[in-house]
Amino acid sequence: MRVNRILLSSALVVVALVIQVSVLARLHLPGAVPDLMLLTVLGLALVYGHVGGALVGFGAGLLADLAPPADHAAGRYALVLCVIGYLAGLVKPETGRLKSATGPMVVVVAAALVSTLLYAGVGALVGDTAARHVGLGSLLFTAALYDLLLAPFVVPGVMALARRAENDPLAETGSAAKATDISSGWLSGGTGLRIGSQRNGLRVKAARARMARAGRIKGVKRL
């Protein structure tokens, strides 16, 4: 990943984690907790693609696994967000810009459901049965609802910051200069061809004039 991607992703993930732990987790909402980390990873994956999304998801999940007051096995959430970042990056728009909000909202709902199922599934493998006591159906519904309500305030902003960080002024200047050189080269090339053709035409006319003059001179001598 590029340096600007790493710096921006790290800053956004840290801010999201702080808000997640200090604010959202203390709301004590029924069912699941609004997952700001998941929405941040989704916004970055929709700009960076599947590889960047997977890397950002793994780093964000690992940070959440190690940050207090984490009460689950380390690497559990890293695996979940890595998979979510990879899958979300696969539906990245070709132009990097979204034409409507329908697609991202569908991605958010799908990511909330898949992440909850993956987290519960991995927990079942390591002996964590908390999802059974709360109710998996309730967790799925509340996770999708909370993330869907929070997404319009998070995903567009994260995508806008990621796109702005991708636009390197030096790269744009270099591209503009290269385009100027190419256009200048085309102009000079076209001018050179025209001048060359004009010179060739003048040479042919001069040669024909000399041949005609030589023919007239020979005709005069024969007379």
Side-chain angles (χ1 to χ4, degrees):
M1 293 180 67
R2 301 175 184 175
V3 177
N4 56 349
R5 288 188 176 186
I6 296 175
L7 294 177
L8 178 63
S9 301
S10 302
L12 292 176
V13 166
V14 170
V15 172
L17 179 61
V18 172
I19 298 175
Q20 179 91 26
V21 174
S22 60
V23 178
L24 298 180
R26 298 177 183 270
L27 295 178
H28 301 291
L29 296 174
V33 177
D35 200 339
L36 187 60
M37 296 283 286
L38 174 66
L39 297 178
T40 303
V41 171
L42 288 178
L44 294 173
L46 290 174
V47 177
Y48 296 158
H50 60 282
V51 176
L55 293 176
V56 172
F58 178 81
L62 187 60
L63 183 62
D65 288 332
L66 300 177
D71 57 353
H72 55 268
R76 180 177 172 184
Y77 200 46
L79 174 62
V80 172
L81 287 187
C82 180
V83 174
I84 294 299
Y86 179 84
L87 295 177
L90 293 177
V91 297
K92 168 192 171 183
E94 296 182 358
T95 60
R97 298 183 179 275
L98 300 172
K99 297 181 180 180
S100 66
T102 304
M105 292 300 102
V106 173
V107 172
V108 168
V109 173
L113 297 177
V114 172
S115 63
T116 303
L117 289 174
L118 282 176
Y119 190 82
V122 175
L125 293 176
V126 297
D128 185 1
T129 59
R132 296 179 182 177
H133 299 291
V134 177
L136 185 58
S138 176
L139 285 177
L140 290 172
F141 176 76
T142 54
L145 178 62
Y146 296 154
D147 291 347
L148 188 60
L149 293 177
L150 189 60
F153 304 98
V154 179
V155 177
V158 171
M159 293 184 66
L161 290 174
R163 285 197 301 264
R164 182 173 297 181
E166 288 292 287
N167 295 331
D168 189 358
L170 295 178
E172 290 182 357
T173 304
S175 301
K178 186 177 180 180
T180 304
D181 294 341
I182 293 174
S183 61
S184 301
W186 276 105
L187 291 174
S188 62
T191 306
L193 289 175
R194 292 193 188 107
I195 292 175
S197 61
Q198 291 175 359
R199 289 179 179 176
N200 290 333
L202 292 175
R203 289 177 181 174
V204 171
K205 291 180 180 179
R208 289 178 179 175
R210 285 196 296 269
M211 291 177 62
R213 188 179 303 170
R216 288 196 294 269
I217 292 174
K218 289 180 180 180
V220 172
K221 288 182 177 179
R222 287 177 182 177
L223 292 174

